Amino acid sequence: MIELKKAGFSYGGGEIFRDVDLHLAQGTFHFLTGPSGTGKTTLMKMCYQALMPDSGTIKVFGRDVRAMNRDDVALVRRRIGVVHQDCQFLNHLSVGENVLLPSFVAGRDGLDDQRNLRELLKWVELEENIDQLPPELSGGERQRAALARAVILSPEVILADEPTGNLDWNMAQRLLTLLIELNKMGKTILVATHDMNLIRAARPHVAARVLRIQGKRVHLAGADL
Amino acid sequence: MGIVNGIQMILAGDKQADRVVPPAGFTARLTSFTAAVMSFLVVFALALSMATGRLADRWSAELSRTSTVRISAPEAQLEIQSERVMEILETTKGIASARLMRADEQHALLEPWFGPDLPLDNLPIPRLIEVVEESVGPDMEGLRFRLAAEAPGAVLDDHTRWRRPLVDAAARLRMLAVLSICLIGGALAAMITLAAQAALAANTQVIQVLRLVGAKDKYIAKAFVRRFTLRGFFGALFGSVCGMVAIFLLPSAAAEGAFLTGLGFSGMQWFIPLLIPLIAAILAFWATRIAANRTLARMN
């Protein structure tokens, strides 16, 4: 699905990554951990082409990202669902419309997606909030709405960058449960988090690999959970 | 995007694409207002262009094939020289007709300057002969020599002396009007480009979200392009209609075709200002499209 080979990235004259190798195979679940500021978000952004590597190669769905034009990148992003810690919405659209946004931009007629919308919102427990505007949602509700938006097109890969960063423990566990359910449906999941409790909580439910960013490289952090 | 696709996109629209960009307030009103004002000015520039064109054509047509022979001589000589001039004119090649103007016609010509009560009969007024030329006129220089030799009091005036500067002035006015239309069009395009860039910059977060969920730049640009094109069109339509009404309400042209009262359109020319909204829409379409593509490329 996503493969980095000796990928390097520098910003403002400082090297952030060097010779990073990473392979996200289909149906796998990965945690990406490491202290704040080590580049978890940067690595996630490289996975969905918000940033380009300075060296090495990144292949997404078998295609070298350097060979992609802007339209290609847009098409790839329809196959990757992204959830951020500070998830952004279009504040003038309702929660339902925001969740359907990927369907709108993909030019789908939206009928099937609209039928699925209520089911999807029920799954993330936001069916009561369908007509609300995003600023009216709590932090946990926003994260779940972002997750619903990320999966509306049934993407093959889901990248979640500190998805539980603003949530209390109960809400974080609920979101983790949703991600695990998606993985069981065959989705490839990469969750960037510095919260080791979250990783431990996932242990009984999913065979996840934990990757640690250290010394500008990505290392496998011990055995499978 | 072809022209047909572009027109389809503008007319049909995309309800969802239109919805994703938040309704803009100030830039929207500014674009419509600018388009309206510019179109209002274009209507006047067009009217000026048409009026000067008509004026130049009329002056050229009316004056180019006529000339006048003026005979100033002592009273005893006046009749003899007039007859001689008529003989010369009737035998000159290129002259269709020559007619000695009657006294009352001459009085009518002078009346606007001297008033009706002036005793013109007591004044030494020169005799005037109206000459109408054939399509290939006479040899004017040769005619002048003959008249000078055989009727020393006769002076041939072919109107060139004052016709050419008038026609030149009208042609230059017309050129200035066309130049003004081009400049106004350029200013409108620049204004819409700036407004579109401002709108795109104000919606950076919207664009980031749209890109995150897989929107192509074409989709994002489309929402802005349609919006600005329609604003340009309706603003220009309003401005053009106001301009046409203002032109229509100008005092009607006097029979003499005084220049200022002749400012306006005649007949089918009234349909020409209706093209302004279409041209404004095309300008807005391209200006926004270029601005959107540049801004989106820069945000990449």
Side-chain angles (χ1 to χ4, degrees):
Chain A
M1 293 278 151
I2 297 176
E3 190 175 12
L4 284 76
K5 275 190 183 167
K6 297 200 175 301
F9 184 79
S10 301
Y11 182 76
E15 189 179 48
I16 296 174
F17 292 118
R18 186 193 309 154
D19 297 335
V20 169
D21 290 317
L22 175 67
H23 183 216
L24 302 179
Q26 187 178 0
T28 55
F29 197 118
H30 289 79
F31 282 106
L32 180 65
T33 188
S36 293
T38 49
K40 295 191 291 295
T41 298
T42 302
L43 190 65
M44 297 289 259
K45 284 184 174 178
M46 287 165 72
C47 288
Y48 64 88
Q49 292 94 65
L51 293 172
M52 286 289 166
D54 296 328
S55 58
T57 57
I58 298 180
K59 285 188 175 177
V60 181
F61 303 119
R63 289 191 61 187
D64 191 331
V65 295
R66 287 184 205 281
M68 291 183 190
N69 60 29
R70 277 148 60 193
D71 281 354
D72 294 333
V73 170
L75 293 176
V76 161
R77 285 185 186 167
R78 292 176 194 174
R79 299 171 69 184
I80 300 176
V82 180
V83 183
H84 281 294
Q85 180 179 356
D86 54 341
C87 37
Q88 292 182 331
F89 294 97
L90 303 188
N91 289 337
H92 62 289
L93 299 184
S94 68
V95 170
E97 286 173 313
N98 267 287
V99 171
L100 281 172
L101 199 56
S103 168
F104 293 164
V105 303
R108 290 160 55 140
D109 65 11
L111 286 175
D112 287 340
D113 294 329
Q114 285 186 18
R115 272 195 285 272
N116 291 337
L117 176 66
R118 285 197 176 271
E119 216 168 300
L120 192 57
L121 289 177
K122 191 176 175 185
W123 178 63
V124 294
E125 297 174 43
L126 285 176
E127 54 189 325
E128 303 294 323
N129 309 83
I130 186 167
D131 294 323
Q132 277 187 300
L133 294 175
E136 296 167 356
L137 299 181
S138 69
E141 287 168 339
R142 286 175 71 86
Q143 291 291 351
R144 281 179 281 139
L147 183 62
R149 184 180 68 186
V151 300
I152 186 82
L153 291 184
S154 193
E156 292 139 84
V157 178
I158 292 160
L159 305 175
D161 184 12
E162 297 282 5
T164 59
N166 293 331
L167 307 182
D168 60 37
W169 178 242
N170 283 339
M171 197 58 72
Q173 279 188 309
R174 278 172 68 181
L175 198 74
L176 179 66
T177 306
L178 294 174
L179 290 168
I180 291 169
E181 280 180 34
L182 287 167
N183 179 245
K184 285 180 178 164
M185 292 158 76
K187 312 292 181 195
T188 305
I189 312 280
L190 174 63
V191 181
T193 182
H194 64 276
D195 185 352
M196 294 309 291
N197 287 332
L198 191 75
I199 299 171
R200 287 187 202 105
R203 188 192 303 259
H205 308 289
V206 67
R209 282 174 179 265
V210 180
L211 307 168
R212 178 182 294 278
I213 298 178
Q214 204 167 28
K216 299 175 184 172
R217 286 192 169 89
V218 175
H219 303 275
L220 188 63
D224 290 354
L225 282 168
Chain B
M1 189 189 297
I3 292 172
V4 175
N5 284 346
I7 293 170
Q8 274 178 347
M9 184 269 280
I10 298 298
L11 294 179
D14 180 340
K15 197 179 162 192
Q16 288 159 347
D18 290 345
R19 284 270 296 142
V20 298
V21 178
F26 184 64
T27 52
R29 287 193 291 274
L30 189 68
T31 308
S32 302
F33 175 74
T34 307
V37 171
M38 296 294 188
S39 303
F40 188 82
L41 295 176
V42 167
V43 172
F44 276 90
L46 259 177
L48 179 67
S49 168
M50 302 284 172
T52 49
R54 284 197 304 273
L55 206 60
D57 291 346
R58 198 167 64 228
W59 285 339
S60 291
E62 284 179 1
L63 301 176
S64 62
R65 291 182 59 197
T66 61
S67 49
T68 311
V69 178
R70 188 177 72 246
I71 305 159
S72 304
E75 198 157 347
Q77 285 285 310
L78 198 58
E79 200 61 37
I80 299 164
Q81 287 201 23
S82 298
E83 283 173 17
R84 186 63 200 129
V85 169
M86 285 300 288
E87 284 170 19
I88 291 168
L89 292 173
E90 281 162 9
T91 56
T92 300
K93 273 182 80 176
I95 290 179
S97 65
R99 187 176 69 86
L100 195 63
M101 290 184 79
R102 298 190 311 273
D104 61 316
E105 286 178 301
Q106 289 193 223
H107 288 179
L109 284 174
L110 293 171
E111 199 177 278
W113 278 270
F114 295 110
D117 301 327
L118 199 71
L120 293 172
D121 295 337
N122 301 329
L123 292 173
I125 298 170
R127 302 292 292 274
L128 293 177
I129 298 172
E130 186 186 68
V131 180
V132 178
E133 299 161 16
E134 289 177 345
S135 55
V136 179
D139 169 12
M140 285 294 183
E141 283 308 299
L143 183 58
R144 275 198 184 92
F145 282 126
R146 273 190 78 189
L147 289 172
E150 300 189 35
V155 176
L156 174 65
D157 182 0
D158 62 359
H159 306 156
T160 308
R161 186 162 41 92
W162 60 281
R163 183 182 74 207
R164 186 167 295 152
L166 284 176
V167 173
D168 285 353
R172 282 190 187 179
L173 265 176
R174 187 180 208 177
M175 200 176 72
L176 278 175
V178 171
L179 182 67
S180 301
I181 292 168
C182 294
L183 288 174
I184 292 168
L188 178 64
M191 192 69 208
I192 290 175
T193 303
L194 289 174
Q197 279 178 343
L200 284 155
N203 286 293
T204 304
Q205 191 200 325
V206 171
I207 292 167
Q208 283 171 349
V209 172
L210 290 173
R211 280 184 161 171
L212 186 70
V213 299
K216 290 183 180 178
D217 285 357
K218 195 174 146 189
Y219 178 90
I220 301 169
K222 199 165 71 173
F224 288 92
V225 168
R226 182 170 187 269
R227 190 170 288 189
F228 277 88
T229 303
L230 290 179
R231 283 174 198 163
F233 176 79
F234 286 112
L237 185 65
F238 180 74
S240 301
V241 169
C242 288
M244 288 167 75
V245 169
I247 294 282
F248 182 75
L249 293 177
L250 280 175
S252 60
E256 292 79 12
F259 176 72
L260 279 175
T261 54
L263 188 68
F265 306 103
S266 67
M268 297 294 280
Q269 286 179 349
W270 279 102
F271 289 99
I272 295 174
L274 296 177
L275 293 174
I276 296 171
L278 289 177
I279 294 167
I282 292 167
L283 275 178
F285 176 86
W286 283 107
T288 315
R289 194 157 177 242
I290 291 167
N293 287 340
R294 277 190 188 159
T295 308
L296 290 170
R298 212 170 32 241
M299 284 180 182
N300 205 29

